[in-house]
Amino acid sequence: MSFRKYSGVILSVLMVPALTGCSLLPEEEVFRTTTIVKEYEGNEFSMTTVKRGDVKDYRNIPCEYRKSNIEDVVLAPWMGITDICVEVGDKVEPGDILVLLASEDTESNIDELNYQIDVKQTKIKQARNMCALEIKRQKLILDDKTTIKAIKEKYEAEISNIEGELSVLNAQLSSELDMQEIYQIKATISGTVTHVDKSVMGFKENNSHGPGGYREWVRTEKTVVSISDGSMPYFAAPIDSSEYIETLSEGDEITVTVTGSEYKTKVHFPKKDRTEVHFLLDYVPEDLDNGNLANAEYIIEKHEDVLYLPDVAVNKMGDKYVVYYEDENGLKSAQEITVGLMAENKVEIAGGLEFGDAVIVR
C-alpha cells in the first residue's frame, strides 16, 4: 500500500484550516471514500505495525487437574468418625466400607437388639425342649391324650408370643441397620488407598462448662481417605461449568492451560449422563500437582497465519473500518480497510494494509 498523497493533501490543508488542531475524527462522522487529511500531532499518539499470526475467538472452561481417577472422603465440620476401615496400600472395590461415621445410638441399639434377639431365640428353643420333655413324661405316666394336647397348646402359645416379639425385634434391627448404612462411607471405584488420616478420630474433652466438661466429636474438614485407580491423569470439569461443554464430542482435541503451560488433551465423557467431562492426557506432567486449577480453551473460531492489528488501532466509521497513518508529509491520513475476525483484542486485516505497515494507535 502506498501512502503518498500530493495535491489532495495541499488542497485539503488550504480548504480546511479549522481541522488543524484536531487529532481524530469523531466516531459518529461518516467516512468519505476520498482520503481525509489532518495535521498530525505526533506527540499525542503511539504507533504500531501490521503483524502476522493467529486470531482466535474462544471461551475458557474451568477444570481441575487430577493425577488419576481419585475418590476423596472429605468430612463436613459436624461429622465425627468411629473408625477408618482401610490402610494406605489396601486394594478396594465398589461397596467396600472406608469410613464409619459417629453414631453411638445406632451402634448401641444394634448391639442391644442383637442381644434381645438371641435371648428370644434361646427361649423358643427352651420352650420346644420343655414341651417335648413334658409330653414324654406324660406318656410314661398316663399317656392321656387330652393332657398331652393341653401341654402342646400351652407351649405353642408361649412360642407364638415369643416369635411375635422376635418379629418386632428383627424389624427394629433391620431399621437400625438401614440407619447404620447412612453412617458408612463406601468406595465407589476400584483402586488403591493412597491416603489415610486418622488424626480426626475419637472424642476430645471440652471443659468450657466447668470441671468435667463434656465430650464432643472432633470437628474437621480434612480429607481422611483417598483412593486412586492409577489411570492416566486428566483435567475434569463439571457439566454445568460452561455452556460450551454441551457442544463437545468424544475424542475432540482441546488445549488446556495451567500455570502458564499448554497441554494437548482429548475430550472424554466418563459417565453416560455426561455429568462430567474429562480432558485426557497421554503422559504424566512433572510440574503439576493434584487439584491445580486450569482452563480448557473452547475455540469458537480461529484464523491462522493472518494479518492483524490491535483493536485500539482500528476505527469504525458508519459501516466501514479505517486506520490512521502518518504520511510522508507528517500529516495524519485515513485508510479504509477490510476486517475479518475480531477476538483477543485483535482485528484481522483482510484488505487495505500489508504486513509491516505502520498505523496510529488511538
PDB file of all heavy atoms in Angstrom, residues 248-266:
ATOM      1  N   LEU A 248     -19.264 -30.221  22.974  1.00  0.00           N
ATOM      2  CA  LEU A 248     -18.091 -31.083  22.818  1.00  0.00           C
ATOM      3  C   LEU A 248     -18.521 -32.496  22.448  1.00  0.00           C
ATOM      4  O   LEU A 248     -19.609 -32.954  22.815  1.00  0.00           O
ATOM      5  CB  LEU A 248     -17.275 -31.118  24.104  1.00  0.00           C
ATOM      6  CG  LEU A 248     -16.634 -29.800  24.551  1.00  0.00           C
ATOM      7  CD1 LEU A 248     -15.983 -29.958  25.913  1.00  0.00           C
ATOM      8  CD2 LEU A 248     -15.611 -29.317  23.529  1.00  0.00           C
ATOM      9  N   SER A 249     -17.643 -33.197  21.768  1.00  0.00           N
ATOM     10  CA  SER A 249     -17.899 -34.590  21.402  1.00  0.00           C
ATOM     11  C   SER A 249     -16.734 -35.461  21.858  1.00  0.00           C
ATOM     12  O   SER A 249     -15.602 -34.973  22.018  1.00  0.00           O
ATOM     13  CB  SER A 249     -18.061 -34.726  19.881  1.00  0.00           C
ATOM     14  OG  SER A 249     -19.154 -33.967  19.422  1.00  0.00           O
ATOM     15  N   GLU A 250     -17.028 -36.724  22.094  1.00  0.00           N
ATOM     16  CA  GLU A 250     -16.000 -37.677  22.498  1.00  0.00           C
ATOM     17  C   GLU A 250     -14.847 -37.671  21.496  1.00  0.00           C
ATOM     18  O   GLU A 250     -15.043 -37.778  20.290  1.00  0.00           O
ATOM     19  CB  GLU A 250     -16.597 -39.077  22.592  1.00  0.00           C
ATOM     20  CG  GLU A 250     -15.666 -40.134  23.137  1.00  0.00           C
ATOM     21  CD  GLU A 250     -15.543 -40.094  24.639  1.00  0.00           C
ATOM     22  OE1 GLU A 250     -16.424 -39.495  25.299  1.00  0.00           O
ATOM     23  OE2 GLU A 250     -14.579 -40.671  25.165  1.00  0.00           O
ATOM     24  N   GLY A 251     -13.614 -37.500  22.016  1.00  0.00           N
ATOM     25  CA  GLY A 251     -12.433 -37.534  21.170  1.00  0.00           C
ATOM     26  C   GLY A 251     -11.987 -36.195  20.623  1.00  0.00           C
ATOM     27  O   GLY A 251     -10.929 -36.113  19.994  1.00  0.00           O
ATOM     28  N   ASP A 252     -12.780 -35.140  20.839  1.00  0.00           N
ATOM     29  CA  ASP A 252     -12.358 -33.815  20.384  1.00  0.00           C
ATOM     30  C   ASP A 252     -11.025 -33.436  21.024  1.00  0.00           C
ATOM     31  O   ASP A 252     -10.775 -33.748  22.195  1.00  0.00           O
ATOM     32  CB  ASP A 252     -13.397 -32.750  20.768  1.00  0.00           C
ATOM     33  CG  ASP A 252     -14.613 -32.768  19.861  1.00  0.00           C
ATOM     34  OD1 ASP A 252     -14.576 -33.501  18.861  1.00  0.00           O
ATOM     35  OD2 ASP A 252     -15.586 -32.051  20.162  1.00  0.00           O
ATOM     36  N   GLU A 253     -10.183 -32.765  20.239  1.00  0.00           N
ATOM     37  CA  GLU A 253      -8.918 -32.262  20.790  1.00  0.00           C
ATOM     38  C   GLU A 253      -9.140 -30.869  21.347  1.00  0.00           C
ATOM     39  O   GLU A 253      -9.821 -30.039  20.739  1.00  0.00           O
ATOM     40  CB  GLU A 253      -7.841 -32.240  19.706  1.00  0.00           C
ATOM     41  CG  GLU A 253      -7.437 -33.626  19.235  1.00  0.00           C
ATOM     42  CD  GLU A 253      -6.268 -33.583  18.274  1.00  0.00           C
ATOM     43  OE1 GLU A 253      -5.846 -32.477  17.901  1.00  0.00           O
ATOM     44  OE2 GLU A 253      -5.778 -34.669  17.894  1.00  0.00           O
ATOM     45  N   ILE A 254      -8.554 -30.612  22.517  1.00  0.00           N
ATOM     46  CA  ILE A 254      -8.740 -29.322  23.175  1.00  0.00           C
ATOM     47  C   ILE A 254      -7.483 -28.985  23.966  1.00  0.00           C
ATOM     48  O   ILE A 254      -6.826 -29.884  24.520  1.00  0.00           O
ATOM     49  CB  ILE A 254      -9.985 -29.348  24.089  1.00  0.00           C
ATOM     50  CG1 ILE A 254     -10.385 -27.933  24.514  1.00  0.00           C
ATOM     51  CG2 ILE A 254      -9.776 -30.230  25.297  1.00  0.00           C
ATOM     52  CD1 ILE A 254     -11.783 -27.868  25.111  1.00  0.00           C
ATOM     53  N   THR A 255      -7.133 -27.703  23.989  1.00  0.00           N
ATOM     54  CA  THR A 255      -5.939 -27.250  24.702  1.00  0.00           C
ATOM     55  C   THR A 255      -6.317 -26.790  26.102  1.00  0.00           C
ATOM     56  O   THR A 255      -7.270 -26.027  26.280  1.00  0.00           O
ATOM     57  CB  THR A 255      -5.261 -26.090  23.952  1.00  0.00           C
ATOM     58  OG1 THR A 255      -4.858 -26.541  22.660  1.00  0.00           O
ATOM     59  CG2 THR A 255      -4.035 -25.599  24.705  1.00  0.00           C
ATOM     60  N   VAL A 256      -5.554 -27.260  27.086  1.00  0.00           N
ATOM     61  CA  VAL A 256      -5.766 -26.850  28.470  1.00  0.00           C
ATOM     62  C   VAL A 256      -4.547 -26.053  28.933  1.00  0.00           C
ATOM     63  O   VAL A 256      -3.412 -26.472  28.726  1.00  0.00           O
ATOM     64  CB  VAL A 256      -5.975 -28.074  29.390  1.00  0.00           C
ATOM     65  CG1 VAL A 256      -6.095 -27.626  30.845  1.00  0.00           C
ATOM     66  CG2 VAL A 256      -7.214 -28.848  28.967  1.00  0.00           C
ATOM     67  N   THR A 257      -4.819 -24.908  29.538  1.00  0.00           N
ATOM     68  CA  THR A 257      -3.756 -24.043  30.033  1.00  0.00           C
ATOM     69  C   THR A 257      -3.759 -24.047  31.554  1.00  0.00           C
ATOM     70  O   THR A 257      -4.805 -23.838  32.183  1.00  0.00           O
ATOM     71  CB  THR A 257      -3.929 -22.603  29.525  1.00  0.00           C
ATOM     72  OG1 THR A 257      -3.971 -22.610  28.099  1.00  0.00           O
ATOM     73  CG2 THR A 257      -2.779 -21.723  29.987  1.00  0.00           C
ATOM     74  N   VAL A 258      -2.588 -24.282  32.141  1.00  0.00           N
ATOM     75  CA  VAL A 258      -2.447 -24.279  33.602  1.00  0.00           C
ATOM     76  C   VAL A 258      -1.032 -23.867  33.947  1.00  0.00           C
ATOM     77  O   VAL A 258      -0.074 -24.306  33.310  1.00  0.00           O
ATOM     78  CB  VAL A 258      -2.808 -25.660  34.204  1.00  0.00           C
ATOM     79  CG1 VAL A 258      -1.966 -26.764  33.587  1.00  0.00           C
ATOM     80  CG2 VAL A 258      -2.640 -25.661  35.717  1.00  0.00           C
ATOM     81  N   THR A 259      -0.917 -23.004  34.953  1.00  0.00           N
ATOM     82  CA  THR A 259       0.378 -22.480  35.420  1.00  0.00           C
ATOM     83  C   THR A 259       1.254 -22.014  34.264  1.00  0.00           C
ATOM     84  O   THR A 259       2.470 -22.245  34.249  1.00  0.00           O
ATOM     85  CB  THR A 259       1.134 -23.525  36.270  1.00  0.00           C
ATOM     86  OG1 THR A 259       1.436 -24.683  35.457  1.00  0.00           O
ATOM     87  CG2 THR A 259       0.333 -23.938  37.486  1.00  0.00           C
ATOM     88  N   GLY A 260       0.625 -21.392  33.266  1.00  0.00           N
ATOM     89  CA  GLY A 260       1.375 -20.821  32.158  1.00  0.00           C
ATOM     90  C   GLY A 260       1.774 -21.793  31.061  1.00  0.00           C
ATOM     91  O   GLY A 260       2.395 -21.393  30.077  1.00  0.00           O
ATOM     92  N   SER A 261       1.436 -23.057  31.207  1.00  0.00           N
ATOM     93  CA  SER A 261       1.795 -24.059  30.199  1.00  0.00           C
ATOM     94  C   SER A 261       0.535 -24.582  29.504  1.00  0.00           C
ATOM     95  O   SER A 261      -0.541 -24.613  30.096  1.00  0.00           O
ATOM     96  CB  SER A 261       2.548 -25.224  30.846  1.00  0.00           C
ATOM     97  OG  SER A 261       3.749 -24.780  31.454  1.00  0.00           O
ATOM     98  N   GLU A 262       0.709 -24.990  28.253  1.00  0.00           N
ATOM     99  CA  GLU A 262      -0.398 -25.546  27.480  1.00  0.00           C
ATOM    100  C   GLU A 262      -0.241 -27.060  27.337  1.00  0.00           C
ATOM    101  O   GLU A 262       0.874 -27.553  27.150  1.00  0.00           O
ATOM    102  CB  GLU A 262      -0.474 -24.900  26.098  1.00  0.00           C
ATOM    103  CG  GLU A 262      -0.883 -23.436  26.122  1.00  0.00           C
ATOM    104  CD  GLU A 262      -1.089 -22.881  24.727  1.00  0.00           C
ATOM    105  OE1 GLU A 262      -0.711 -23.572  23.749  1.00  0.00           O
ATOM    106  OE2 GLU A 262      -1.641 -21.764  24.598  1.00  0.00           O
ATOM    107  N   TYR A 263      -1.371 -27.776  27.404  1.00  0.00           N
ATOM    108  CA  TYR A 263      -1.370 -29.229  27.293  1.00  0.00           C
ATOM    109  C   TYR A 263      -2.433 -29.645  26.277  1.00  0.00           C
ATOM    110  O   TYR A 263      -3.576 -29.175  26.335  1.00  0.00           O
ATOM    111  CB  TYR A 263      -1.666 -29.880  28.650  1.00  0.00           C
ATOM    112  CG  TYR A 263      -0.636 -29.547  29.704  1.00  0.00           C
ATOM    113  CD1 TYR A 263      -0.779 -28.414  30.503  1.00  0.00           C
ATOM    114  CD2 TYR A 263       0.481 -30.349  29.895  1.00  0.00           C
ATOM    115  CE1 TYR A 263       0.174 -28.097  31.461  1.00  0.00           C
ATOM    116  CE2 TYR A 263       1.437 -30.040  30.853  1.00  0.00           C
ATOM    117  CZ  TYR A 263       1.276 -28.906  31.630  1.00  0.00           C
ATOM    118  OH  TYR A 263       2.214 -28.594  32.573  1.00  0.00           O
ATOM    119  N   LYS A 264      -2.053 -30.499  25.351  1.00  0.00           N
ATOM    120  CA  LYS A 264      -2.986 -31.028  24.360  1.00  0.00           C
ATOM    121  C   LYS A 264      -3.720 -32.216  24.961  1.00  0.00           C
ATOM    122  O   LYS A 264      -3.098 -33.162  25.449  1.00  0.00           O
ATOM    123  CB  LYS A 264      -2.251 -31.442  23.087  1.00  0.00           C
ATOM    124  CG  LYS A 264      -1.459 -30.314  22.425  1.00  0.00           C
ATOM    125  CD  LYS A 264      -2.363 -29.159  21.979  1.00  0.00           C
ATOM    126  CE  LYS A 264      -1.562 -28.071  21.289  1.00  0.00           C
ATOM    127  NZ  LYS A 264      -2.418 -26.914  20.902  1.00  0.00           N
ATOM    128  N   THR A 265      -5.036 -32.178  24.924  1.00  0.00           N
ATOM    129  CA  THR A 265      -5.840 -33.232  25.538  1.00  0.00           C
ATOM    130  C   THR A 265      -6.948 -33.668  24.590  1.00  0.00           C
ATOM    131  O   THR A 265      -7.199 -33.031  23.565  1.00  0.00           O
ATOM    132  CB  THR A 265      -6.477 -32.752  26.852  1.00  0.00           C
ATOM    133  OG1 THR A 265      -7.469 -31.759  26.555  1.00  0.00           O
ATOM    134  CG2 THR A 265      -5.431 -32.156  27.787  1.00  0.00           C
ATOM    135  N   LYS A 266      -7.623 -34.761  24.984  1.00  0.00           N
ATOM    136  CA  LYS A 266      -8.781 -35.244  24.232  1.00  0.00           C
ATOM    137  C   LYS A 266      -9.989 -35.331  25.157  1.00  0.00           C
ATOM    138  O   LYS A 266      -9.879 -35.710  26.318  1.00  0.00           O
ATOM    139  CB  LYS A 266      -8.485 -36.612  23.606  1.00  0.00           C
ATOM    140  CG  LYS A 266      -7.530 -36.539  22.428  1.00  0.00           C
ATOM    141  CD  LYS A 266      -7.450 -37.862  21.690  1.00  0.00           C
ATOM    142  CE  LYS A 266      -6.559 -37.728  20.447  1.00  0.00           C
ATOM    143  NZ  LYS A 266      -6.480 -38.989  19.693  1.00  0.00           N
TER     144      LYS A 266
END
